[in-house]
Amino acid sequence: MAEYNPVLTAPEGANKKRKIVGRGSSSGLGTTAGKGNKGAQSRSGSPQPYVGFEGGQMPLYRRIAQRGFSNYPFKVEFDVVNLCDIEAKYADGETVNKETLIAKKLIKANKSKNLSVKLLGTGNLTKKVTVSLDKVSKSAKEKVEKAGGSVVEVKKAEKTEKKD
């Protein structure tokens, strides 16, 4: 019968002492602590400050003139909800709008503050619901109306500029 030993120990060589650097020239890794001489690589933090950094030279993305127009700042982003989600979470006769979607945790409240909500037609709908959202796809609209519900698209107030 094997001898019972209640003490668990790590195998030989599993726990090594950490190499101590920068403790004088006689330690073997003193002065520069194994990091070579001066420069960004010898200092703490990332060796390059940012993507595109060219060592202090004016980076390429700033040397080249910006041309054209980007529509990116004006793009409209949507939170997406599918009909299968509505089928699972809503009862017959309820209204589907941004507030009820947040209450039923189909969209996140903090993320959806500035986003519009779009209903997509993935899944089937058997319940009669009233949908009042920013955008509704054509297939979703057909399925909601086929189930006996109604669809109202809510238009956000457009920003109007003052004309002098």
Side-chain angles (χ1 to χ4, degrees), residues 2-151:
E3 189 179 316
Y4 174 70
N5 185 1
V7 181
L8 293 175
T9 56
E12 188 78 22
N15 299 328
K16 294 181 180 177
K17 284 187 77 176
R18 138 182 120 80
K19 189 179 281 188
I20 298 173
V21 296
R23 296 293 182 276
S25 58
S26 62
S27 69
L29 275 173
T31 60
T32 57
K35 288 187 172 239
N37 290 322
K38 301 169 191 160
Q41 281 83 354
S42 68
R43 291 171 169 75
S44 66
S46 176
Q48 283 84 29
Y50 54 86
V51 176
F53 182 72
E54 296 185 21
Q57 172 177 301
M58 185 65 71
L60 184 70
Y61 75 92
R62 290 190 58 198
R63 290 197 303 265
I64 296 172
Q66 181 185 345
R67 292 177 57 87
F69 173 76
S70 172
N71 209 28
Y72 184 81
F74 308 105
K75 87 173 178 182
V76 179
E77 289 188 39
F78 288 97
D79 252 357
V80 176
V81 180
N82 284 305
L83 278 180
C84 56
D85 302 328
I86 304 292
E87 178 71 28
K89 297 269 187 170
Y90 282 82
D92 204 26
E94 282 191 284
T95 302
V96 179
N97 57 26
K98 203 171 185 178
E99 290 75 32
T100 59
L101 287 170
I102 291 169
K104 294 185 187 279
K105 296 185 178 169
L106 288 172
I107 58 175
K108 291 183 180 173
N110 56 351
K111 187 180 137 193
S112 299
K113 201 179 287 181
N114 300 323
L115 294 183
S116 301
V117 181
K118 183 170 183 174
L119 180 65
L120 300 180
T122 305
N124 291 317
L125 188 68
T126 57
K127 298 169 182 169
K128 183 179 178 182
V129 291
T130 305
V131 177
S132 178
L133 295 174
D134 301 305
K135 271 260 204 235
V136 180
S137 72
K138 193 185 285 186
S139 63
K141 188 173 185 178
E142 288 171 5
K143 288 179 182 180
V144 168
E145 289 171 349
K146 188 178 177 184
S150 61
V151 176

